[in-house]
Amino acid sequence: MPPSTTDPILSLRGITKSFGAVAALTDIDLDVVSGQVLAVVGDNGAGKSTLVKVLSGVHTPDSGTITFESGQIEISSPADAHRLGIATVFQDLALCENLNVIENLFLGHEVRALRLDDVAMEVRSWELLRQLSAKIPSVRVPVASLSGGQRQTVAIARSLLADPKVVILDEPTAALGVAQTAEVLNLIERLRDHGLGVIMISHNMADVKAVADKVGVLRLGRNNGIFDVDDVSPEDIIAAITGARDNVVAQRSARHRQPAPTSAEEGSHP
């Protein structure tokens, strides 16, 4: 397992993006470190999707700076992000269900000399899947026949085709069952173990606590806290997401954590 460093491979400073009168992102600061998972959480409308699109080159920020491998960069298009080594797996996965695993992995990047080199693409497909310890029975089956977790595996494997340094996963466990979620979380740990910087957009606090090293909270398009996962409770994260510490979820959890009174305490009077 390559050790993680404390120096960020990707840094955002003062990133701001507006759509007309609506400020989607305002002065966002984030650091992504190689060999670590940064979970970005927030309520609907917090700016998570806009942040993903800025990093993937879909949107250009209005102001702020992005530093990648110690050099200031501009990501003006998805091709820029791809060339730099920033790969994004969007929530819809963008897979062609009628094509098999190999065809999906190499769609638009086929290996060919005079004609398609099926053997080379199949060998590379198995290399990518083994790198993730993926559970795919065959690379010749249509994606339509795979489970939700296996489809996510194919999408993540495709993102590794160009040997990226940062992988962005947009809600990777959304709509998955328990077993499939565990499978995808294992994949995320594999990415970290291979020394990649991982940004995981998520609503699921259990997933965040399971695989993330740090949590960045967005609220109304602004930073509302960066936390070490080992030092923060789900209730504290929810409080940062909602902007209030005395929210109903936190109150209920606090009551459940309080020890039950002893019989002596129940019978005592002030």
Side-chain angles (χ1 to χ4, degrees):
M1 171 179 173
S4 64
T5 65
T6 56
D7 295 330
I9 186 172
L10 176 67
S11 292
L12 281 63
R13 292 293 179 267
I15 294 297
T16 297
K17 179 65 181 177
S18 297
F19 298 96
V22 178
L25 298 173
T26 305
D27 291 329
I28 295 297
D29 294 345
L30 279 178
D31 290 323
V32 181
V33 177
S34 297
Q36 287 190 5
V37 177
L38 169 67
V40 177
V41 301
D43 209 346
N44 292 333
K48 302 186 303 297
S49 295
T50 303
L51 178 65
V52 170
K53 290 176 180 178
V54 165
L55 290 174
S56 61
V58 177
H59 294 324
T60 302
D62 300 327
S63 61
T65 60
I66 301 175
T67 304
F68 188 75
E69 294 188 305
S70 302
Q72 188 170 320
I73 61 167
E74 291 186 6
I75 308 175
S76 302
S77 67
D80 286 346
H82 184 266
R83 184 174 60 255
L84 288 165
I86 301 172
T88 304
V89 180
F90 290 99
Q91 188 172 348
D92 64 6
L93 303 184
L95 297 175
C96 297
E97 296 195 350
N98 60 313
L99 301 181
N100 65 30
V101 173
I102 299 172
E103 291 163 341
N104 269 281
L105 289 177
F106 285 89
L107 189 62
H109 301 280
E110 291 83 358
V111 177
R112 65 172 74 234
L114 298 177
R115 60 180 182 177
L116 289 179
D117 191 338
D118 289 334
V119 173
M121 290 190 291
E122 181 167 358
V123 169
R124 180 61 175 149
S125 296
W126 281 118
E127 287 176 352
L128 291 171
L129 294 173
R130 278 195 293 269
Q131 183 177 340
L132 295 170
S133 300
K135 299 176 181 177
I136 301 289
S138 170
V139 292
R140 294 288 180 181
V141 296
V143 164
S145 68
L146 301 178
S147 69
Q150 290 170 331
R151 294 182 193 197
Q152 186 70 245
T153 299
V154 173
I156 293 174
R158 183 179 58 192
S159 75
L160 300 180
L161 194 59
D163 296 320
K165 297 178 176 64
V166 173
V167 176
I168 305 167
L169 304 174
D170 187 10
E171 299 283 359
T173 61
L176 295 183
V178 175
Q180 294 175 358
T181 294
E183 184 178 343
V184 172
L185 294 181
N186 286 337
L187 295 179
I188 296 172
E189 290 184 333
R190 299 284 184 279
L191 296 176
R192 175 175 57 197
D193 291 347
H194 283 287
L196 299 178
V198 181
I199 302 174
M200 180 179 73
I201 310 297
S202 182
H203 279 95
N204 191 307
M205 292 301 106
D207 293 353
V208 170
K209 292 290 285 185
V211 298
D213 299 289
K214 288 186 178 292
V215 184
V217 179
L218 298 185
R219 173 168 166 75
L220 302 177
R222 295 179 178 270
N223 285 109
N224 204 33
I226 303 290
F227 306 95
D228 288 323
V229 167
D230 293 337
D231 300 332
V232 68
S233 69
E235 294 75 41
D236 290 332
I237 298 174
I238 292 170
I241 291 172
T242 60
R245 292 209 167 265
D246 294 329
N247 61 77
V248 174
V249 175
Q251 291 173 359
R252 184 186 303 118
S253 180
R255 287 198 300 269
H256 290 169
R257 290 201 307 266
Q258 289 176 350
T262 64
S263 57
E265 291 172 337
E266 292 174 343
S268 63
H269 297 281

